[in-house]
Amino acid sequence: MNIIYDIAIVGGGPGGIGTAVEAAVHGVENILLIDKADNHSSTIRKFYKANKRVDKDWKGQTIDIEGNIPFMDGTKETTLNFFDKLLDEEKIDTAFNTEVENIVKNEEEDIFLISTSTQSFRAKAVVITIGKMGKPNMPSYKIPPSIKEFINFNLDNCSMGEKILVVGGGNSAAEYAYELADEGNTVTLVYRKDEFTRLNPENEDILYQYNGQEKLRLRMNTDIKSLENEQGKVKVNFDDGYYTIYDRIIYAIGGTSPVDFLKKVGIEVDKEGKPIYDEHYRTNIPRLYVAGDIAFNTGGSIAAALNHGYHIVNSFLRRSGKIYSHTHKVEEFFKNNPEFRS
C-alpha cells in the first residue's frame, strides 16, 4: 500500500504481458502484473498440449505487430520461454497466486484501489486482461458425479487408444479432435449445427480430410440430451434417438466473459455481457482499460493482444499527468536488448 503504481494489470496472459512490457519500454517506472494463477500465461499452460503450434497470424488473419514486442510463430514451449524472457528483462512487479476481488476508484485521490483476499494495491491506471477460458462453458444437462473423471475441458489426462467424443464447433474443438486422432485415439466430433461457421479454413480442411479418410468421425446437426454411467464408461444419449459409449468426453464449447466481475467493478457491458470500450480500449471509467481475450468479440489472438497493450500504454502516456522520458528509455532498452527490436 506504500507504492502507488502507475499501471496495474489484472491478468497475466498475452494482453497483460504486452501492456506490462510496453509500459516498461516506454519508461513507466511502477508496474504491477497480477494473476490468480501461479505463473503468467495460464491459459497457454493449461489448455495447450505439449509442442502445440502457436501462430502469429491467427484464423487466417495477418496480424502486424504494432508495438515493440517481436512475436513470431513458435510452439507452446517457445512462446512461454519468450514471455519469460520479456518479463525477466523488465522491472515489473508481479503478484501471482493473487485473485482480485474488486477494483474501486477513489474519486477524491483519483486512484484505484485493487482489493484481493490478502492485500490491496493502489494504481493510477488499471488494465483488466482476464481471459474467457478461465470458466469454460458447461453443458445444460447434468454431468453425473460418478463419471466426472472422464469429462474434460482440455487435453489433460488424455491417453492413447481411447474412444473420445469432442463436443463443439470452434477451432479448439477441431484441434483437439484431429490431434487426438493423430495420437491413435478413436475420435468423434459432435456439433449441433449442420455446418461449421467459426472455423479457420485450415482447421476446416483438416477436419473434412480426416473425416473422409476415416481418421475421425464428424457427427453434425446433432446435440446431446443426457449422460449416464454405463459400467464405468460414459453413455451419451443423442437427440436423434441413438446412444454411444465413450471412454472420455472433451467439451470445447467456449468460455464466458466474467460479466459479474465487470459489473461489480462498474464497467458498462452490452446485452451479451461483453465490456464496452473505445478504440483505445478505454472503458466508461477513466484510466480503466480492457485488453486481451476479454476485449475480443470472438476468439483471442496473441499478436492482437500484444497490440492491445501497445495502444493502451500510448493512450495512458498521452493522458497521464506525469511526463515520461520514454524516447531515451526505448533506445536504452533496445541497446541492451537488440534481439527485441522488430
Side-chain angles (χ1 to χ4, degrees):
M1 287 290 291
N2 293 327
I3 299 175
I4 298 178
Y5 288 97
D6 291 304
I7 295 181
I9 302 146
V10 182
I17 294 170
T19 304
V21 173
E22 291 289 354
V25 167
H26 284 81
V28 180
E29 295 177 353
N30 295 311
I31 307 162
L32 175 66
L33 181 66
I34 308 170
D35 198 282
K36 65 180 180 180
D38 59 3
N39 210 331
H40 66 82
S41 309
S42 60
T43 296
I44 295 176
R45 296 178 193 277
K46 184 174 182 180
F47 292 98
Y48 286 30
K49 64 178 297 184
N51 297 312
K52 174 179 170 61
R53 193 178 72 190
V54 178
D55 294 332
K56 180 180 78 69
D57 297 331
W58 186 78
K59 282 193 174 180
Q61 298 177 347
T62 300
I63 305 291
D64 293 325
I65 298 296
E66 301 174 66
N68 297 287
I69 301 174
F71 179 69
M72 296 175 288
D73 295 345
T75 64
K76 170 184 178 177
E77 289 74 18
T78 62
T79 300
L80 291 174
N81 287 338
F82 177 65
F83 288 158
D84 282 339
K85 172 74 171 172
L86 288 175
L87 292 175
D88 285 348
E89 289 291 339
E90 292 308 326
K91 299 188 184 302
I92 299 166
D93 288 346
T94 57
F96 294 131
N97 289 315
T98 303
E99 185 166 8
V100 173
E101 296 179 346
N102 202 3
I103 302 170
V104 178
K105 190 172 185 181
N106 184 321
E107 296 293 347
E108 185 177 336
E109 296 183 8
D110 200 23
I111 294 292
F112 289 96
L113 180 66
I114 305 164
S115 303
T116 76
S117 58
T118 58
Q119 57 191 315
S120 297
F121 304 98
R122 293 188 294 168
K124 298 176 183 176
V126 177
V127 185
I128 299 177
T129 69
I130 51 180
K132 292 183 283 191
M133 290 296 289
K135 294 183 178 179
N137 286 339
M138 302 291 289
S140 57
Y141 44 85
K142 180 181 178 180
I143 298 176
S146 60
I147 59 171
K148 280 190 175 179
E149 64 179 298
F150 308 117
I151 305 298
N152 283 42
F153 295 90
N154 52 48
L155 295 181
D156 289 352
N157 303 316
C158 292
S159 57
M160 296 176 63
E162 288 188 319
K163 185 176 180 179
I164 299 175
L165 179 69
V166 178
V167 183
N171 286 292
S172 292
E175 291 166 7
Y176 289 169
Y178 65 69
E179 287 175 9
L180 287 165
D182 283 340
E183 293 179 353
N185 297 286
T186 302
V187 181
T188 298
L189 188 148
V190 62
Y191 187 42
R192 57 187 174 84
K193 297 182 180 180
D194 57 4
E195 63 180 22
F196 295 108
T197 58
R198 297 181 288 128
L199 292 184
N200 65 46
E202 183 181 1
N203 280 338
E204 189 165 3
D205 287 346
I206 293 173
L207 276 188
Y208 282 117
Q209 207 176 78
Y210 276 38
N211 183 55
Q213 296 170 355
E214 298 184 359
K215 296 176 87 171
L216 61 80
R217 179 191 177 193
L218 297 180
R219 191 165 183 165
M220 308 294 289
N221 200 28
T222 306
D223 212 346
I224 298 173
K225 287 184 64 178
S226 63
L227 305 181
E228 298 178 45
N229 185 333
E230 183 75 13
Q231 297 182 351
K233 297 200 173 187
V234 183
K235 180 181 178 182
V236 180
N237 299 306
F238 296 101
D239 62 359
D240 57 8
Y242 294 94
Y243 72 86
T244 307
I245 310 245
Y246 296 93
D247 296 314
R248 186 176 303 279
I249 298 182
I250 300 177
Y251 287 97
I253 52 179
T256 55
S257 179
V259 61
D260 290 340
F261 177 74
L262 295 177
K263 288 181 176 179
K264 183 178 183 180
V265 169
I267 294 176
E268 293 179 355
V269 298
D270 62 19
K271 60 183 180 181
E272 296 179 348
K274 298 172 183 174
I276 298 172
Y277 54 90
D278 66 11
E279 68 273 18
H280 303 294
Y281 306 98
R282 295 178 297 178
T283 68
N284 56 294
I285 301 174
R287 298 200 310 278
L288 182 55
Y289 302 81
V290 291
D293 277 2
I294 202 174
F296 286 105
N297 289 326
T298 54
S301 159
I302 291 176
L306 296 175
N307 287 343
H308 288 183
Y310 170 73
H311 287 290
I312 287 170
V313 169
N314 277 278
S315 174
F316 169 73
L317 291 172
R318 287 193 298 269
R319 290 164 177 78
S320 174
K322 181 177 179 181
I323 304 300
Y324 295 90
S325 56
H326 58 274
T327 302
H328 96 271
K329 286 286 187 180
V330 171
E331 291 306 317
E332 179 183 334
F333 173 80
F334 286 127
K335 181 180 178 181
N336 296 330
N337 304 276
E339 71 274 23
F340 287 155
R341 187 180 288 279
S342 52

